[in-house]
Amino acid sequence: MYPEGLFVLTSTQHSEIPDILLGSVFHRRDVLLGSQGLADYLRRHPAADVREFSEGRFILVRNEGGRVVIKTDDLAQDTVYYFSDASRGRAYWAVSNSLLALTRQLRYDGFSPGFHEAATLGFFAGNQSLWGGQPLSLNTLVDGVRFIPAGRHLEIAPGGLPQVTLSPTRADRQGLDYAEGLMEYVRDVQGRVQALVSHGYRFNLGLSGGIDSRMNFALMRPFLNPDSVRVHSNQQRSEDFEVVRKIQGHYDFPIDGFASRNGRNSGRDNVMTWMSGVLGAYLPVRMPMRNRNISSTFNVHGGNFRAGIYHIQPLKKRAKNLARHFDSREQAEKVEREFYGFFDSVGVDVDDPIALDHHYINTRARFHYGLNWYRQLDQPLFTPHLSRQLFDLYHRLKPEQQEGEKLIYDLLSLTDPDLIDFPFDSPQKGFSDAVRRHRSSLSPQDLAARGVPDFEVHGALSPSEAGEDHPEAEAEFMALVDEKVAQHSVRLKGTGPMLDAAIDELEKHAKLSGTKASHRYAALVVTLGEFDNLIGYNLEI
């Protein structure tokens, strides 16, 4: 059985497609929670253009008189996959937030797609941390299936095929200078938190020694209260926690451990959720830790639209290094073209200083920080850093200011300058000397003069369920994954030298998916095995 939150839409049901909102939308001075919130908002604002929705973390489907719009937040934290075909004389399309479910639907509807070779090869490139294990472009490993890029949406006219369209920007934000825009961003975030707290929602704020969580802490510090915003930290990570304790000593707030994981799904349900959510898009084996008793609590996630380590090598050198992972020159060239093809598909010049940021948002950030829509089933997520507003402000900075983390430096100057001088968990993190020498003119007094705006909340998160405790869920989950790895390894052995090498690596371990070193290969073998079953295509790789 598929997990809740998963949808598959096809052209055969075009006129009957319902309005759907998974997650949370923050638009102007309104907060929309789930489909109930969307319906309530549209009743009050019937002329609203949902294509303008950009902030939050959501997947939205709107059917307006047969014209269907399908959209995510503008940094595309959740993923929507689509397929279209006009070869049979009648336009056919299918859309889903699960690559596995979409591929099953294609088979059911009589299509026989194969593996997209270059996209599949990309999963073998690099290492798990930044390159291998997720797509290199907007293509998936299933030929003909792509995903919607950040800042764009699908529009489908009656009888037509999905068209990827650039999402409009809010006219009322145009013309704001950098300082005004940053103050507007902070006021918006704090207004949303204040409105949700007043409606009984709570926030779990993770605090580490890193820069992203420091920014979130600065934004939410005015609301610190165990009944509203609680702070948790991983006390097992000594370098992180040493920094956290210094911040705690200055501000005097309680620190909790991680949220309880009682009420989890069974291991079997977790395997289906994992496969439905990320199979074919992101590799490590990670069990969905369902907790049905905390749906009224938002988890404040760090995330980012930029990773400094991603920029250590210039874009063109990155492309060459990707190609070096393949002994076959033909395969190497295919992977390199696949990587460059991403920039063509989103209209970004490879010489643009932030070209790699666009790649990071659409691939690594989307799948690593997002972990797809099923993360919302654990606990609704609140991700202030992954914001179109903030990304647009970042665009205005010079490359050296982007490298020096001026954006966060200015945000801390505006909210709480004391937080600038606390250390981070490693010397590589923090603010450059150049940024520190030019102290920001912004101050908390500028923010206080404007106050926090009032937001209206529409709808509600799904009510909590009692759930059933599954104390052996993790062991059951891993055992079931091991079973799948073993089955697919036997069947796929001899498929090709690269896959054979991955299977050999797995077979060195007594428990096939039981050690961290083998997780990537375990997920890779399960992914290729499951899709090979569906596609029925002779995979040679």
Side-chain angles (χ1 to χ4, degrees), residues 397-424:
L397 298 174
K398 298 175 182 177
E400 61 270 21
Q401 293 173 325
Q402 294 167 354
E403 294 285 347
E405 300 288 2
K406 176 176 170 57
L407 185 63
I408 298 181
Y409 183 88
D410 287 344
L411 189 145
L412 297 183
S413 298
L414 185 60
T415 53
D416 191 337
D418 287 350
L419 287 167
I420 290 172
D421 295 321
F422 283 96
F424 293 94

PDB file of all heavy atoms in Angstrom, residues 397-424:
ATOM      1  N   LEU A 397      24.442  40.217  -4.346  1.00  0.00           N
ATOM      2  CA  LEU A 397      25.772  40.371  -3.766  1.00  0.00           C
ATOM      3  C   LEU A 397      26.853  40.070  -4.788  1.00  0.00           C
ATOM      4  O   LEU A 397      26.654  39.288  -5.724  1.00  0.00           O
ATOM      5  CB  LEU A 397      25.933  39.434  -2.564  1.00  0.00           C
ATOM      6  CG  LEU A 397      24.970  39.677  -1.396  1.00  0.00           C
ATOM      7  CD1 LEU A 397      25.157  38.581  -0.343  1.00  0.00           C
ATOM      8  CD2 LEU A 397      25.175  41.046  -0.779  1.00  0.00           C
ATOM      9  N   LYS A 398      28.006  40.656  -4.591  1.00  0.00           N
ATOM     10  CA  LYS A 398      29.165  40.352  -5.420  1.00  0.00           C
ATOM     11  C   LYS A 398      29.675  38.957  -5.085  1.00  0.00           C
ATOM     12  O   LYS A 398      29.467  38.463  -3.967  1.00  0.00           O
ATOM     13  CB  LYS A 398      30.266  41.388  -5.170  1.00  0.00           C
ATOM     14  CG  LYS A 398      29.867  42.813  -5.524  1.00  0.00           C
ATOM     15  CD  LYS A 398      30.959  43.789  -5.128  1.00  0.00           C
ATOM     16  CE  LYS A 398      30.537  45.225  -5.426  1.00  0.00           C
ATOM     17  NZ  LYS A 398      31.565  46.205  -4.975  1.00  0.00           N
ATOM     18  N   PRO A 399      30.337  38.284  -6.034  1.00  0.00           N
ATOM     19  CA  PRO A 399      30.814  36.917  -5.770  1.00  0.00           C
ATOM     20  C   PRO A 399      31.636  36.794  -4.490  1.00  0.00           C
ATOM     21  O   PRO A 399      31.476  35.831  -3.737  1.00  0.00           O
ATOM     22  CB  PRO A 399      31.649  36.589  -7.013  1.00  0.00           C
ATOM     23  CG  PRO A 399      31.038  37.405  -8.102  1.00  0.00           C
ATOM     24  CD  PRO A 399      30.591  38.680  -7.441  1.00  0.00           C
ATOM     25  N   GLU A 400      32.511  37.767  -4.209  1.00  0.00           N
ATOM     26  CA  GLU A 400      33.333  37.674  -2.999  1.00  0.00           C
ATOM     27  C   GLU A 400      32.482  37.832  -1.733  1.00  0.00           C
ATOM     28  O   GLU A 400      32.818  37.292  -0.677  1.00  0.00           O
ATOM     29  CB  GLU A 400      34.457  38.710  -3.027  1.00  0.00           C
ATOM     30  CG  GLU A 400      33.999  40.161  -3.077  1.00  0.00           C
ATOM     31  CD  GLU A 400      33.830  40.686  -4.502  1.00  0.00           C
ATOM     32  OE1 GLU A 400      33.684  39.854  -5.429  1.00  0.00           O
ATOM     33  OE2 GLU A 400      33.852  41.921  -4.678  1.00  0.00           O
ATOM     34  N   GLN A 401      31.367  38.556  -1.832  1.00  0.00           N
ATOM     35  CA  GLN A 401      30.473  38.686  -0.684  1.00  0.00           C
ATOM     36  C   GLN A 401      29.678  37.401  -0.470  1.00  0.00           C
ATOM     37  O   GLN A 401      29.392  37.018   0.660  1.00  0.00           O
ATOM     38  CB  GLN A 401      29.526  39.869  -0.895  1.00  0.00           C
ATOM     39  CG  GLN A 401      30.219  41.216  -0.886  1.00  0.00           C
ATOM     40  CD  GLN A 401      29.271  42.347  -1.261  1.00  0.00           C
ATOM     41  OE1 GLN A 401      28.376  42.187  -2.099  1.00  0.00           O
ATOM     42  NE2 GLN A 401      29.460  43.494  -0.624  1.00  0.00           N
ATOM     43  N   GLN A 402      29.320  36.746  -1.578  1.00  0.00           N
ATOM     44  CA  GLN A 402      28.642  35.456  -1.473  1.00  0.00           C
ATOM     45  C   GLN A 402      29.549  34.434  -0.805  1.00  0.00           C
ATOM     46  O   GLN A 402      29.132  33.676   0.074  1.00  0.00           O
ATOM     47  CB  GLN A 402      28.217  34.971  -2.861  1.00  0.00           C
ATOM     48  CG  GLN A 402      27.166  35.840  -3.516  1.00  0.00           C
ATOM     49  CD  GLN A 402      26.990  35.530  -4.991  1.00  0.00           C
ATOM     50  OE1 GLN A 402      27.737  34.737  -5.553  1.00  0.00           O
ATOM     51  NE2 GLN A 402      26.009  36.160  -5.624  1.00  0.00           N
ATOM     52  N   GLU A 403      30.807  34.431  -1.212  1.00  0.00           N
ATOM     53  CA  GLU A 403      31.777  33.514  -0.620  1.00  0.00           C
ATOM     54  C   GLU A 403      31.978  33.813   0.861  1.00  0.00           C
ATOM     55  O   GLU A 403      32.217  32.929   1.668  1.00  0.00           O
ATOM     56  CB  GLU A 403      33.121  33.631  -1.347  1.00  0.00           C
ATOM     57  CG  GLU A 403      33.105  33.181  -2.794  1.00  0.00           C
ATOM     58  CD  GLU A 403      33.056  31.675  -2.937  1.00  0.00           C
ATOM     59  OE1 GLU A 403      33.283  30.975  -1.934  1.00  0.00           O
ATOM     60  OE2 GLU A 403      32.784  31.204  -4.052  1.00  0.00           O
ATOM     61  N   GLY A 404      31.901  35.093   1.233  1.00  0.00           N
ATOM     62  CA  GLY A 404      32.154  35.501   2.610  1.00  0.00           C
ATOM     63  C   GLY A 404      30.949  35.427   3.520  1.00  0.00           C
ATOM     64  O   GLY A 404      31.008  35.879   4.667  1.00  0.00           O
ATOM     65  N   GLU A 405      29.829  34.897   3.025  1.00  0.00           N
ATOM     66  CA  GLU A 405      28.604  34.739   3.817  1.00  0.00           C
ATOM     67  C   GLU A 405      28.058  36.083   4.309  1.00  0.00           C
ATOM     68  O   GLU A 405      27.552  36.198   5.428  1.00  0.00           O
ATOM     69  CB  GLU A 405      28.835  33.790   5.012  1.00  0.00           C
ATOM     70  CG  GLU A 405      29.264  32.397   4.620  1.00  0.00           C
ATOM     71  CD  GLU A 405      28.147  31.573   4.000  1.00  0.00           C
ATOM     72  OE1 GLU A 405      27.034  32.094   3.831  1.00  0.00           O
ATOM     73  OE2 GLU A 405      28.393  30.404   3.668  1.00  0.00           O
ATOM     74  N   LYS A 406      28.145  37.110   3.449  1.00  0.00           N
ATOM     75  CA  LYS A 406      27.656  38.430   3.850  1.00  0.00           C
ATOM     76  C   LYS A 406      26.160  38.415   4.142  1.00  0.00           C
ATOM     77  O   LYS A 406      25.683  39.134   5.035  1.00  0.00           O
ATOM     78  CB  LYS A 406      27.954  39.457   2.764  1.00  0.00           C
ATOM     79  CG  LYS A 406      27.391  40.854   3.065  1.00  0.00           C
ATOM     80  CD  LYS A 406      27.797  41.871   2.022  1.00  0.00           C
ATOM     81  CE  LYS A 406      27.025  43.187   2.197  1.00  0.00           C
ATOM     82  NZ  LYS A 406      27.197  43.770   3.542  1.00  0.00           N
ATOM     83  N   LEU A 407      25.399  37.613   3.409  1.00  0.00           N
ATOM     84  CA  LEU A 407      23.953  37.587   3.583  1.00  0.00           C
ATOM     85  C   LEU A 407      23.587  37.228   5.023  1.00  0.00           C
ATOM     86  O   LEU A 407      22.770  37.907   5.661  1.00  0.00           O
ATOM     87  CB  LEU A 407      23.332  36.590   2.605  1.00  0.00           C
ATOM     88  CG  LEU A 407      21.813  36.521   2.572  1.00  0.00           C
ATOM     89  CD1 LEU A 407      21.218  37.846   2.123  1.00  0.00           C
ATOM     90  CD2 LEU A 407      21.355  35.407   1.637  1.00  0.00           C
ATOM     91  N   ILE A 408      24.203  36.171   5.551  1.00  0.00           N
ATOM     92  CA  ILE A 408      23.880  35.767   6.920  1.00  0.00           C
ATOM     93  C   ILE A 408      24.487  36.741   7.924  1.00  0.00           C
ATOM     94  O   ILE A 408      23.903  37.026   8.973  1.00  0.00           O
ATOM     95  CB  ILE A 408      24.339  34.321   7.176  1.00  0.00           C
ATOM     96  CG1 ILE A 408      23.589  33.367   6.238  1.00  0.00           C
ATOM     97  CG2 ILE A 408      24.111  33.920   8.633  1.00  0.00           C
ATOM     98  CD1 ILE A 408      23.924  31.919   6.403  1.00  0.00           C
ATOM     99  N   TYR A 409      25.657  37.281   7.599  1.00  0.00           N
ATOM    100  CA  TYR A 409      26.272  38.295   8.455  1.00  0.00           C
ATOM    101  C   TYR A 409      25.326  39.485   8.628  1.00  0.00           C
ATOM    102  O   TYR A 409      25.107  39.976   9.746  1.00  0.00           O
ATOM    103  CB  TYR A 409      27.593  38.744   7.842  1.00  0.00           C
ATOM    104  CG  TYR A 409      28.359  39.749   8.663  1.00  0.00           C
ATOM    105  CD1 TYR A 409      29.250  39.338   9.645  1.00  0.00           C
ATOM    106  CD2 TYR A 409      28.198  41.115   8.446  1.00  0.00           C
ATOM    107  CE1 TYR A 409      29.962  40.263  10.395  1.00  0.00           C
ATOM    108  CE2 TYR A 409      28.897  42.041   9.184  1.00  0.00           C
ATOM    109  CZ  TYR A 409      29.785  41.614  10.155  1.00  0.00           C
ATOM    110  OH  TYR A 409      30.481  42.522  10.897  1.00  0.00           O
ATOM    111  N   ASP A 410      24.743  39.943   7.529  1.00  0.00           N
ATOM    112  CA  ASP A 410      23.821  41.075   7.591  1.00  0.00           C
ATOM    113  C   ASP A 410      22.547  40.702   8.340  1.00  0.00           C
ATOM    114  O   ASP A 410      21.977  41.531   9.069  1.00  0.00           O
ATOM    115  CB  ASP A 410      23.477  41.556   6.184  1.00  0.00           C
ATOM    116  CG  ASP A 410      24.624  42.300   5.529  1.00  0.00           C
ATOM    117  OD1 ASP A 410      25.562  42.712   6.247  1.00  0.00           O
ATOM    118  OD2 ASP A 410      24.597  42.460   4.290  1.00  0.00           O
ATOM    119  N   LEU A 411      22.084  39.480   8.160  1.00  0.00           N
ATOM    120  CA  LEU A 411      20.871  39.058   8.851  1.00  0.00           C
ATOM    121  C   LEU A 411      21.096  39.019  10.367  1.00  0.00           C
ATOM    122  O   LEU A 411      20.231  39.448  11.147  1.00  0.00           O
ATOM    123  CB  LEU A 411      20.425  37.689   8.336  1.00  0.00           C
ATOM    124  CG  LEU A 411      19.054  37.215   8.816  1.00  0.00           C
ATOM    125  CD1 LEU A 411      18.356  36.430   7.719  1.00  0.00           C
ATOM    126  CD2 LEU A 411      19.151  36.341  10.058  1.00  0.00           C
ATOM    127  N   LEU A 412      22.256  38.525  10.805  1.00  0.00           N
ATOM    128  CA  LEU A 412      22.561  38.524  12.236  1.00  0.00           C
ATOM    129  C   LEU A 412      22.733  39.950  12.755  1.00  0.00           C
ATOM    130  O   LEU A 412      22.338  40.251  13.887  1.00  0.00           O
ATOM    131  CB  LEU A 412      23.822  37.700  12.509  1.00  0.00           C
ATOM    132  CG  LEU A 412      23.761  36.209  12.172  1.00  0.00           C
ATOM    133  CD1 LEU A 412      25.063  35.519  12.571  1.00  0.00           C
ATOM    134  CD2 LEU A 412      22.583  35.526  12.854  1.00  0.00           C
ATOM    135  N   SER A 413      23.321  40.814  11.950  1.00  0.00           N
ATOM    136  CA  SER A 413      23.457  42.221  12.348  1.00  0.00           C
ATOM    137  C   SER A 413      22.090  42.844  12.589  1.00  0.00           C
ATOM    138  O   SER A 413      21.913  43.674  13.495  1.00  0.00           O
ATOM    139  CB  SER A 413      24.184  43.019  11.263  1.00  0.00           C
ATOM    140  OG  SER A 413      25.487  42.535  11.063  1.00  0.00           O
ATOM    141  N   LEU A 414      21.125  42.444  11.782  1.00  0.00           N
ATOM    142  CA  LEU A 414      19.780  42.997  11.865  1.00  0.00           C
ATOM    143  C   LEU A 414      18.985  42.419  13.031  1.00  0.00           C
ATOM    144  O   LEU A 414      18.139  43.108  13.617  1.00  0.00           O
ATOM    145  CB  LEU A 414      19.050  42.713  10.546  1.00  0.00           C
ATOM    146  CG  LEU A 414      17.659  43.291  10.332  1.00  0.00           C
ATOM    147  CD1 LEU A 414      17.683  44.808  10.395  1.00  0.00           C
ATOM    148  CD2 LEU A 414      17.103  42.825   8.987  1.00  0.00           C
ATOM    149  N   THR A 415      19.243  41.153  13.387  1.00  0.00           N
ATOM    150  CA  THR A 415      18.447  40.490  14.423  1.00  0.00           C
ATOM    151  C   THR A 415      19.147  40.451  15.779  1.00  0.00           C
ATOM    152  O   THR A 415      18.542  40.754  16.808  1.00  0.00           O
ATOM    153  CB  THR A 415      18.106  39.050  13.999  1.00  0.00           C
ATOM    154  OG1 THR A 415      19.322  38.370  13.635  1.00  0.00           O
ATOM    155  CG2 THR A 415      17.144  39.048  12.807  1.00  0.00           C
ATOM    156  N   ASP A 416      20.431  40.083  15.801  1.00  0.00           N
ATOM    157  CA  ASP A 416      21.167  39.978  17.067  1.00  0.00           C
ATOM    158  C   ASP A 416      22.670  39.934  16.781  1.00  0.00           C
ATOM    159  O   ASP A 416      23.241  38.866  16.559  1.00  0.00           O
ATOM    160  CB  ASP A 416      20.741  38.719  17.815  1.00  0.00           C
ATOM    161  CG  ASP A 416      21.255  38.687  19.239  1.00  0.00           C
ATOM    162  OD1 ASP A 416      22.260  39.363  19.521  1.00  0.00           O
ATOM    163  OD2 ASP A 416      20.658  37.999  20.077  1.00  0.00           O
ATOM    164  N   PRO A 417      23.346  41.087  16.783  1.00  0.00           N
ATOM    165  CA  PRO A 417      24.768  41.122  16.427  1.00  0.00           C
ATOM    166  C   PRO A 417      25.662  40.284  17.337  1.00  0.00           C
ATOM    167  O   PRO A 417      26.756  39.883  16.921  1.00  0.00           O
ATOM    168  CB  PRO A 417      25.126  42.612  16.548  1.00  0.00           C
ATOM    169  CG  PRO A 417      23.828  43.330  16.386  1.00  0.00           C
ATOM    170  CD  PRO A 417      22.796  42.434  17.005  1.00  0.00           C
ATOM    171  N   ASP A 418      25.233  39.990  18.564  1.00  0.00           N
ATOM    172  CA  ASP A 418      26.053  39.170  19.461  1.00  0.00           C
ATOM    173  C   ASP A 418      26.350  37.805  18.854  1.00  0.00           C
ATOM    174  O   ASP A 418      27.400  37.201  19.129  1.00  0.00           O
ATOM    175  CB  ASP A 418      25.354  38.973  20.811  1.00  0.00           C
ATOM    176  CG  ASP A 418      25.369  40.239  21.673  1.00  0.00           C
ATOM    177  OD1 ASP A 418      26.077  41.197  21.295  1.00  0.00           O
ATOM    178  OD2 ASP A 418      24.670  40.260  22.693  1.00  0.00           O
ATOM    179  N   LEU A 419      25.430  37.306  18.029  1.00  0.00           N
ATOM    180  CA  LEU A 419      25.592  35.967  17.460  1.00  0.00           C
ATOM    181  C   LEU A 419      26.702  35.896  16.421  1.00  0.00           C
ATOM    182  O   LEU A 419      27.153  34.814  16.057  1.00  0.00           O
ATOM    183  CB  LEU A 419      24.275  35.494  16.832  1.00  0.00           C
ATOM    184  CG  LEU A 419      23.176  35.107  17.837  1.00  0.00           C
ATOM    185  CD1 LEU A 419      21.835  34.972  17.143  1.00  0.00           C
ATOM    186  CD2 LEU A 419      23.550  33.814  18.549  1.00  0.00           C
ATOM    187  N   ILE A 420      27.172  37.051  15.950  1.00  0.00           N
ATOM    188  CA  ILE A 420      28.240  37.067  14.950  1.00  0.00           C
ATOM    189  C   ILE A 420      29.545  36.539  15.529  1.00  0.00           C
ATOM    190  O   ILE A 420      30.315  35.845  14.846  1.00  0.00           O
ATOM    191  CB  ILE A 420      28.447  38.501  14.412  1.00  0.00           C
ATOM    192  CG1 ILE A 420      27.240  38.911  13.557  1.00  0.00           C
ATOM    193  CG2 ILE A 420      29.738  38.618  13.611  1.00  0.00           C
ATOM    194  CD1 ILE A 420      27.253  40.374  13.146  1.00  0.00           C
ATOM    195  N   ASP A 421      29.806  36.854  16.789  1.00  0.00           N
ATOM    196  CA  ASP A 421      31.130  36.591  17.357  1.00  0.00           C
ATOM    197  C   ASP A 421      31.261  35.248  18.069  1.00  0.00           C
ATOM    198  O   ASP A 421      32.346  34.901  18.521  1.00  0.00           O
ATOM    199  CB  ASP A 421      31.506  37.730  18.316  1.00  0.00           C
ATOM    200  CG  ASP A 421      31.670  39.050  17.569  1.00  0.00           C
ATOM    201  OD1 ASP A 421      32.208  39.025  16.452  1.00  0.00           O
ATOM    202  OD2 ASP A 421      31.225  40.091  18.097  1.00  0.00           O
ATOM    203  N   PHE A 422      30.187  34.488  18.181  1.00  0.00           N
ATOM    204  CA  PHE A 422      30.325  33.137  18.707  1.00  0.00           C
ATOM    205  C   PHE A 422      31.052  32.273  17.671  1.00  0.00           C
ATOM    206  O   PHE A 422      30.827  32.426  16.460  1.00  0.00           O
ATOM    207  CB  PHE A 422      28.963  32.520  19.031  1.00  0.00           C
ATOM    208  CG  PHE A 422      28.356  33.022  20.302  1.00  0.00           C
ATOM    209  CD1 PHE A 422      27.437  34.058  20.290  1.00  0.00           C
ATOM    210  CD2 PHE A 422      28.714  32.477  21.522  1.00  0.00           C
ATOM    211  CE1 PHE A 422      26.880  34.535  21.452  1.00  0.00           C
ATOM    212  CE2 PHE A 422      28.154  32.937  22.701  1.00  0.00           C
ATOM    213  CZ  PHE A 422      27.245  33.976  22.665  1.00  0.00           C
ATOM    214  N   PRO A 423      31.910  31.365  18.098  1.00  0.00           N
ATOM    215  CA  PRO A 423      32.636  30.522  17.129  1.00  0.00           C
ATOM    216  C   PRO A 423      31.697  29.539  16.436  1.00  0.00           C
ATOM    217  O   PRO A 423      30.551  29.358  16.851  1.00  0.00           O
ATOM    218  CB  PRO A 423      33.649  29.786  18.003  1.00  0.00           C
ATOM    219  CG  PRO A 423      33.003  29.725  19.350  1.00  0.00           C
ATOM    220  CD  PRO A 423      32.236  31.019  19.493  1.00  0.00           C
ATOM    221  N   PHE A 424      32.207  28.920  15.379  1.00  0.00           N
ATOM    222  CA  PHE A 424      31.488  27.837  14.707  1.00  0.00           C
ATOM    223  C   PHE A 424      32.238  26.536  14.970  1.00  0.00           C
ATOM    224  O   PHE A 424      33.302  26.535  15.595  1.00  0.00           O
ATOM    225  CB  PHE A 424      31.355  28.126  13.215  1.00  0.00           C
ATOM    226  CG  PHE A 424      30.470  29.307  12.928  1.00  0.00           C
ATOM    227  CD1 PHE A 424      31.003  30.574  12.764  1.00  0.00           C
ATOM    228  CD2 PHE A 424      29.096  29.161  12.845  1.00  0.00           C
ATOM    229  CE1 PHE A 424      30.200  31.673  12.513  1.00  0.00           C
ATOM    230  CE2 PHE A 424      28.270  30.247  12.597  1.00  0.00           C
ATOM    231  CZ  PHE A 424      28.826  31.509  12.433  1.00  0.00           C
TER     232      PHE A 424
END
